[in-house]
Amino acid sequence: HFVRLMERVHRPVLVIDDLAHAVPLARALVAGGLPALEVTLRTPVALDVIRAMQDVAGGVVGAGTLLTPADVKAAKAAGAKFGVSPGATDRLIKACEDEGLPLLPGAATATEGMVLLEKGFTLQKFFPAEPAGGTAYLSSLASPLPQIRFCPTGGITIETAPQFLAL
């Protein structure tokens, strides 16, 4: 279910400092056709934001910037339905498996992509998209790895978004 959801929708990456903004923002994003909500664990209120957004009809809330097994446990306990990470370690992947939390792991090289593919990850976050080489690099990376669908994030602007979406 997770792979189908992530392949069908664009996923806003949310860094929220004020808990009062959580529910109105989630409602607006869902109404605008963006139901997969990635709340990054970069603010002190992030876990509370995940808890608050659970009640927004039509939304699926996940936790981003998962770095450690402790992050995975906390995100799952807060109600996250999926996790996103800038990279992937064996410990992080195992923690997600243990918690039953679907993971969108990050990869920026062919080797990272291939290692994740061997572990069964056919959908991967391409991060950091622009600093790593943008659409030219992603196109070159994806060409020999057609089994992988990449979700690019990091440094993408309103000007470069159309080129990424075209890929």
Side-chain angles (χ1 to χ4, degrees), residues 1-160:
H1 299 295
F2 170 71
V3 171
R4 286 196 307 269
L5 170 71
M6 298 306 281
E7 286 179 341
R8 286 193 341 253
V9 299
H10 302 292
R11 144 190 80 69
V13 178
L14 309 172
V15 181
I16 300 174
D17 294 304
D18 186 343
L19 183 58
H21 296 148
V23 171
L25 178 59
R27 286 184 182 138
L29 290 167
V30 170
L34 298 169
L37 310 167
E38 177 190 338
V39 177
T40 63
L41 300 185
R42 296 187 215 162
T43 69
V45 297
L47 294 170
D48 292 327
V49 168
I50 291 170
R51 285 184 195 93
M53 287 183 167
Q54 294 304 309
D55 296 330
V56 175
V60 179
V61 184
T65 320
L66 296 177
L67 303 176
T68 68
D71 291 341
V72 173
K73 283 184 176 288
K76 182 70 175 184
K81 302 294 187 238
F82 65 90
V84 181
S85 181
T89 66
D90 289 339
R91 287 181 63 226
L92 185 71
I93 292 168
K94 176 145 179 20
C96 286
E97 290 170 351
D98 290 349
E99 292 294 327
L101 187 67
L103 177 66
L104 178 63
T109 68
T111 298
E112 292 170 345
M114 291 167 62
V115 167
L116 289 170
L117 187 59
E118 285 181 357
K119 294 175 187 275
F121 291 98
T122 57
L123 182 62
Q124 300 174 19
K125 174 179 175 173
F126 173 57
F127 177 82
E130 279 294 339
T135 56
Y137 180 81
L138 178 56
S139 181
S140 295
L141 181 65
S143 180
L145 299 170
Q147 309 91 324
I148 302 172
R149 296 270 323 249
F150 289 98
C151 178
T153 64
I156 299 172
T157 66
I158 195 75
E159 293 80 25
T160 60

